[in-house]
Structure formats: C-alpha cells, structure tokens
Amino acid sequence: MTTADIAFEDLAGSDLVPGCTYRGGTKGHQGDDPLHPLLGVGNAGGFRAWGRGRARYAALFSTGVETEWPDRFVDKGSRFVYYGDQRRPGLSVLDTPRGGNRLLARVFDLAAEGGVDDRAMIPPFFLFTKTGTGRDMIFHGLAVPSLIDGSGLLETTRDFGKGAVSNFEATFDVLRPRIIGRGWIDALRLDEPLSDHGPAEWFKWLVLGHA
C-alpha cells in the first residue's frame, strides 16, 4: 500500500512510506493513536520500542511542540535532533520511566564501536511527527545515529525554574527509502534485521556507517 494517506482502519496492513500521513482514530481517547495498530508499539511517549528485554525496533515520535526541548530537522531535513525523555530535575539522565534514554545510550555506544556487527545490533527507529490534526502522524523514514565529531549524543543540563534537568540531545541521520514493506517489520519481530525484505538504504548504512 503506497497511498499518501492511510486510514486508521487500514493501518495494520500498511507499508511505511516517507511523507505518508497515518490517520488516528476518531473516538476521542488514547486508543486513537495510530502507532499501536501500525507497529504494535505502545500508544504513549516519544520512545516506543517493540520487543521484550531487547528492542527489535522502535517508533520515535515527536510532537514538535515542546519549546523547552525543541526536536527539529536540520541540514535541510537530512538530520533530526531529538531530545530524550528525562523531564524531572535532580535525576540521572538515564533514570527515565520508559527507559528511552538508556536505549539512546546503548544505540549510540554501538554506533561508536564502528563495526558492521555492532550496527546490526541497533534496532531500526521509525521516525514520526505530529501533523497538527487530531492524532494523525507523518512518517519521515529511518533514524540512524549520526556520528558528529565522534558522537551525535550529548548530555545537556538545563534549568527551567524547577531545578536542573539532565537530558540527552541526540542527532540522527534520516534515511528515506521509497517504501518499507510489512515483510521487514515481520522479519524484525523474528529478530531477522538482515532479511531480504529490508530497504537498501538500511543495508548501505550498516556497511558504511553513515548515510
């Protein structure tokens, strides 16, 4: 399925297409979130991993409305700056409710190792942002760690008047395959990221280590 607008009732069978809008439901509750039927992940939070114990893949979702931690595209959309999920003062940068910052740290550590086998252990991140209409979301592509000056992951501390908050600022390169078929998502769930169903852009990144 490659239409530019996917209805809520069609999400479970849909492919992932960069630039495509994935519609939320219309019942007025959290179950309207499209990422659960689309990818089987949770319906809340910025990091939504699939897999018990070890993430096989994850949705990376940004509302784009947080002024204190402003997620944003940079370099003409080729990179995405994403802030972690620590929002409470006085805690470790890794001490977050859903473990998103621990996942970030692990992913960037693996990328920094520099080997193909290390990168193959990094779960694909499917990048989505809010459209501004209901719970609709746009899919942008695969977010992979960007190694800028040795690391695209920085720890930053800010004080917004309620105490200092330590959080991660992560920079990802954005890969935009023409289409990501359901076959690869099924393969990822079976812990087969190197399946023939995977997009060529992903395999190129695995080999080269950069977009």
Side-chain angles (χ1 to χ4, degrees):
M1 185 178 298
T2 58
T3 55
D5 197 35
I6 306 298
F8 185 75
E9 57 269 21
D10 295 329
L11 293 174
S14 174
D15 299 325
L16 295 177
V17 181
C20 183
T21 295
Y22 294 83
R23 296 293 186 187
T26 58
K27 294 183 179 179
H29 55 61
Q30 203 164 13
D32 291 338
D33 187 282
L35 292 183
H36 178 68
L38 181 63
L39 293 173
V41 297
N43 56 15
F47 294 97
R48 308 187 192 183
W50 192 97
R52 292 183 179 275
R54 180 173 63 83
R56 306 293 175 82
Y57 61 81
L60 194 63
F61 171 62
S62 174
T63 63
V65 299
E66 289 201 39
T67 57
E68 294 179 342
W69 305 100
D71 302 335
R72 62 199 183 276
F73 285 98
V74 297
D75 294 340
K76 299 181 179 180
S78 65
R79 289 190 172 98
F80 190 72
V81 177
Y82 188 86
Y83 287 93
D85 57 0
Q86 183 58 275
R87 298 293 186 270
R88 295 177 295 174
L91 298 180
S92 162
V93 68
L94 297 176
D95 186 9
T96 62
R98 293 185 176 88
N101 279 11
R102 289 187 182 275
L103 179 58
L104 274 181
R106 176 177 178 272
V107 162
F108 277 85
D109 281 347
L110 287 169
E113 291 296 324
V116 175
D117 291 342
D118 299 303
R119 288 190 290 275
M121 295 176 64
I122 295 174
F125 285 81
F126 300 109
L127 177 59
F128 292 84
T129 60
K130 186 177 177 66
T131 68
T133 301
R135 292 184 180 268
D136 297 355
M137 299 182 187
I138 296 176
F139 175 60
H140 295 279
L142 292 168
V144 297
S146 180
L147 300 183
I148 301 172
D149 297 329
S151 175
L153 187 66
L154 302 174
E155 183 173 344
T156 180
T157 301
R158 300 180 182 181
D159 192 333
F160 302 107
K162 297 181 180 179
V165 176
S166 294
N167 201 5
F168 279 141
E169 177 185 285
T171 301
F172 292 92
D173 290 320
V174 182
L175 311 180
R176 292 185 170 88
R178 186 183 66 83
I179 187 171
I180 297 173
R182 296 298 305 185
W184 194 43
I185 297 171
D186 293 338
L188 291 171
R189 291 175 176 176
L190 295 173
D191 201 15
E192 298 175 357
L194 303 182
S195 161
D196 291 343
H197 295 291
E201 291 82 355
W202 170 260
F203 293 119
K204 179 182 177 181
W205 175 76
L206 283 181
V207 173
L208 300 178
H210 58 79

